[in-house]
Amino acid sequence: MSKFFDDFKVGEEFVTHGRTVTEADVANFAGVTGDINPLHMDEEYAKKTRFGRRVPHGQLIFVLALGLAERVIAPLFHDSIIAFYGLDRMRFIKPVFIGDTITLRRRVDSTESRNETSGVVTFEDNVVNQDGQLCLRNYPKYLLKRKP
């Protein structure tokens, strides 16, 4: 059953299942975007960096987190979503490595009524690794219908 703008409460939380970041994810993302920075693609180069090994693209981790959210949130928005409204304040806090398993913890950060038919729900998205360490935080916004 879909949730409408009026149904979301500040502080409400959703947690996804885990997803392991693979070599194929990194290679496919590099191929699609053209981003072949050696930090992502060259093991010998990456060994000499502060990370000591290759680091998947930060944008890849963000996109994978959106995919995780889609499985949890999409059914909730099925009848109520108007549009993905934007994104605020993205920070890469800790690197994710190939082989790490990420989970998305999504919390309702704020709600803002636009008019009698719609409102914006802002979430705080926290991507954590298998050890529970915070790796990425951002604030996606969705424009939703109000209850009929």
Side-chain angles (χ1 to χ4, degrees), residues 15-31:
V15 179
T16 70
H17 64 283
R19 193 223 193 265
T20 301
V21 180
T22 68
E23 174 69 35
D25 293 329
V26 175
N28 288 329
F29 191 82

Side-chain angles (χ1 to χ4, degrees), residues 27-80:
N28 288 329
F29 191 82
V32 168
T33 64
D35 182 349
I36 57 168
N37 184 293
L39 181 60
H40 312 305
M41 304 305 294
D42 182 337
E43 188 64 41
E44 293 306 311
Y45 172 87
K47 284 180 185 177
K48 298 173 190 159
T49 69
R50 66 186 291 183
F51 305 108
R53 56 186 161 155
R54 291 170 47 215
V55 178
H57 308 73
Q59 300 89 335
L60 168 62
I61 304 307
F62 167 68
V63 170
L64 293 176
L66 284 180
L68 288 171
E70 185 67 19
R71 291 181 177 231
V72 172
I73 298 298
L76 299 178
F77 286 0
H78 182 73
D79 296 319
S80 61

